[in-house]
Structures are given as C-alpha cells and as structure tokens.
Amino acid sequence: MQVSEQVLPLAIKQYGPEHEQIGIITYGLGLTAEKAGDDNKAVRYYAQSVKIREKVYGKDGPGVAEALDLYGGALMRLGRVDEAEPVFRRALKLRKDIMGFEHAYQASSTAYLGAIAVAKGNYREALVRYRKAIELLASQKTDFVYAQKVMNQGLKRQRSAFIGLARAVWHGGAQLGRNKQAAFDESFKASQDAWQTSAAEAIAKMTARLGTSNSPL
C-alpha cells in the first residue's frame, strides 16, 4: 500500500491535482486500501476519485456512479450509514437516468440501499430493495451466449444481494408479518441462489480445465 501511495504525489506534480490520470490512480488506491482492510483510506481515495470523475467526465457520467457505489460501500463498512445513504441514492439515480429503463446496471446501487435499510432496522424496505436488485439481475434477456455470460457474472458480483435478502427476511420477523416457515423458505431460497452463482462458475471452470487434459478423470 505504501509503495502504491508513493505514485500519487509524483503524478500530481506531473499532471496536476484534477487530471484524469489522478482519478485513475486514486480509484486504484481506493481498491488497494479496500483489499488491505483500510477503509478510512479507501473512503478518502474514493471521494477524491469521485470529485475528479465529476470534473473530467461530468457529474452525470456512468464512471461517477461506479465510484459513488465504492465510496458508499467504504462508508458503510465504517458504520457511517447516514453518510452512505445519500451517496447510494445519487448513484442509483444516475444509473436510472443513464439507462432510461430498468436494467441490471442499477442492481448494485439498489442492493446497497437494501443494506442501508438493514442497518437501520427497516426490514420491510430492505426486502423491497433486495428483491428488486435480484429481479434486475435475473430478468435480463440472455438470447445469446455472451449475454448469458454477462448476466452470470453480474449475479456472481452481486451475490451479496441474495444474502442480504435472506438476512432481511429472517431478522425482519414480526415487522414483515411473516411466519417462521415462510421466512425460512425465502431466506433458504435466496441463500441457495447465492451459492449456485458461485458453484456454477467453479464447476464450469473445472470442466474446462479437465477438458484440456488427458487424465483419466
């Protein structure tokens, strides 16, 4: 992380503090900090990346929405729920405005708002958000192999939405007016779907590897 951070002042000196290249570097540093478990740094770098993307690409650009989701996610992990909520709401609005219709592209921001609702104990809203995110992910046309692959990748990236739905259903209890069996059935189905998105990809990769070998297996 320290080595990666040494690049930033050198780049700022060469390009200036608001250049596109600085946005790329700060975005990458945010990802690195996130992987290193340092969300305080991730918040700082993602926020910087958002500001530069707004300046370079415009405040309504798709790259801004992506950076906003990552910024909000880091805030969430730090427990800064009230700060994260407007970030996710803005990201969702941008994604809706960009597409002009419902699309899987909006699923991540929708699921993040489900996580906000869970954090606030509003399981009814959480359930609505998570169900919508899953619907967006699973309802895209897959007439072509490539489209099917894209959808499966989206499901894998957003499998936390399935787990979030299970959490909302199970912990919502009386607030959702659900009996225990109904809660169990829906949460189990969501968890099963989350597992299948990962297992299916793993099996496909294993099959591909075996298909290129000459072993008895």
Side-chain angles (χ1 to χ4, degrees), residues 113-131:
L113 286 171
I116 291 284
V118 167
K120 291 188 171 185
N122 187 347
Y123 297 106
R124 189 176 300 280
E125 180 180 348
L127 190 57
V128 170
R129 295 287 188 181
Y130 281 127
R131 281 175 174 166

Side-chain angles (χ1 to χ4, degrees), residues 17 22 42 58-59 62 72 114 123-124 156 210:
I22 307 305
K59 291 189 175 183
Y123 297 106
R124 189 176 300 280
K156 183 174 182 293
L210 292 174

Side-chain angles (χ1 to χ4, degrees), residues 60-188:
D60 299 329
V64 175
E66 181 185 358
L68 283 170
D69 271 347
L70 292 173
Y71 175 45
L75 288 171
M76 276 286 290
R77 290 189 296 275
L78 290 173
R80 295 160 63 177
V81 178
D82 290 337
E83 293 176 68
E85 183 171 6
V87 173
F88 292 137
R89 290 191 182 279
R90 183 186 167 205
L92 180 57
K93 184 180 185 306
L94 285 178
R95 290 177 184 275
K96 286 182 175 180
D97 290 345
I98 289 165
M99 294 305 298
F101 57 92
E102 291 191 340
H103 190 273
Y105 179 61
Q106 300 149 17
S108 61
S109 301
T110 303
Y112 274 130
L113 286 171
I116 291 284
V118 167
K120 291 188 171 185
N122 187 347
Y123 297 106
R124 189 176 300 280
E125 180 180 348
L127 190 57
V128 170
R129 295 287 188 181
Y130 281 127
R131 281 175 174 166
K132 186 62 180 178
I134 292 169
E135 177 190 335
L136 290 168
L137 288 166
S139 64
Q140 303 306 304
K141 290 184 178 181
T142 55
D143 298 339
F144 301 99
V145 173
Y146 180 74
Q148 179 68 53
K149 183 177 180 180
V150 169
M151 190 189 82
N152 287 341
Q153 288 175 343
L155 286 168
K156 183 174 182 293
R157 285 195 303 271
Q158 299 298 327
R159 62 181 177 268
S160 60
F162 294 92
I163 297 170
L165 184 145
R167 186 179 295 117
V169 171
W170 192 249
H171 293 293
Q175 187 184 116
L176 296 171
R178 306 291 296 280
N179 61 49
K180 287 186 177 181
Q181 186 59 49
F184 177 82
D185 290 343
E186 186 167 9
S187 59
F188 177 79

